Amino acid sequence: MTKISVVVPCFNEEAVIDRFDTRIREVLADLRVEYELCYVDDGSSDGTALRLRAIAAEFAKETRYVSFSRNFGKEAAMLAGLREASGDAVVIMDADLQHPPELIARMLDLYERGHDQIIARRTREGDKKVRSALSRLYYRAVNKWVDVELADGVGDFRMLSRPAVDALLSLPEYNRFSKGLFSWIGFDTATFDYQNAAREAGETKWKLGSLLNYGMDGLISFNNRPLRIAIWLGLTLVGVAALYAVWITVTALTQGVSAPGYVTLVAIIVGLGGVQMVMLGLIGEYIGRIYYETKRRPHFLVRETHRSFTGGDRDRRKAGGDRVRLVSTDREM
Ligand code: UDP
Ligand code: MG
């Protein structure tokens, strides 16, 4: 029998996590498959960890649970969940019920037909008009730039086959941009649309600032084309400046020198200064990434897992062992 693992990153989802758990278990029970739920508490500051601990105790057989020592972000939480997952197929979904659990049946169907990545793409109906227009614009622009294809409306909600999961786990990078990674690993991909649901409870963790930063990540994570563009822009400016110098010299020789041009001068200096700042920032952005990669820090630190209360971790803790376990070395590389 196929075993499905469902990976659920949770950050301050106290208000909805129980409802989610009930719904997902109903759906999975109907599918007549073997299943497990892999909950990851991403350092929540509300009662999420407590709720998850209770769930993991109640359904010990089908539940895995990892709790981080602090908030490490959704990317890290998904990675932790994927590492925990032992199923033949793994579904990644949000805890807020925006990803309808019923769609897993359809995913399973496509999985059984041999697809390795089954993506549920949300339509943007019901979204704020401005936000969806901006998103569309962003994806159109970004796809011209990056080497992997990023599709509008495609998020992390998907089913992955075991080979696809293993491929993802073999990518050790610290800066993880999942949308890009999913696309980079390739494999046989199937996509279907679904109507986006509103969040059932709690609130979104995405502020405008973090969305913009995420957008920047998307641009820079998957290629060095921006650097190439910087070179071309620089060369173009040098060329234009050279032509202008020739023109100025010629007019000076033929018509004599006249002094005005203060505004032009200031405008050019400020403009070029701006261009240089942007380019420096760009280079800094790449260097920053190199800096983080070279530290080789783990993606996350674990405070407790489902094993903590079924023996395992606790015994070690009693023995005066390490409170914080460095899981990241577990299966890496
Ligand atoms: N999430 C997480 N860590 C974070 C932020 C979010 O694990 O730092 C989880 C969150 O609990 C939810 C999912 O990621 O299950 C998506 O978050 P959210 O619903 O806030 O994003 P949106 O649906 O608005 O894009
Ligand atoms: Mg959400």
Side-chain angles (χ1 to χ4, degrees), residues 9-11 13 42 71 73-74 77 94-96 98 199 204-206:
C10 312
F11 177 53
E13 300 289 6
D42 186 8
N71 180 241
K74 189 183 175 190
D94 290 358
D96 55 9
Q98 279 186 305
R199 193 175 234 286
T204 177
K205 280 90 205 170
W206 289 100

Side-chain angles (χ1 to χ4, degrees), residues 4-7 89-93 104 107 157-160:
I4 299 187
S5 305
V6 181
V7 168
V90 179
V91 180
I92 303 175
M93 62 195 300
I104 294 178
M107 291 177 163
F157 185 27
R158 62 185 69 216
M159 181 181 272
L160 300 164

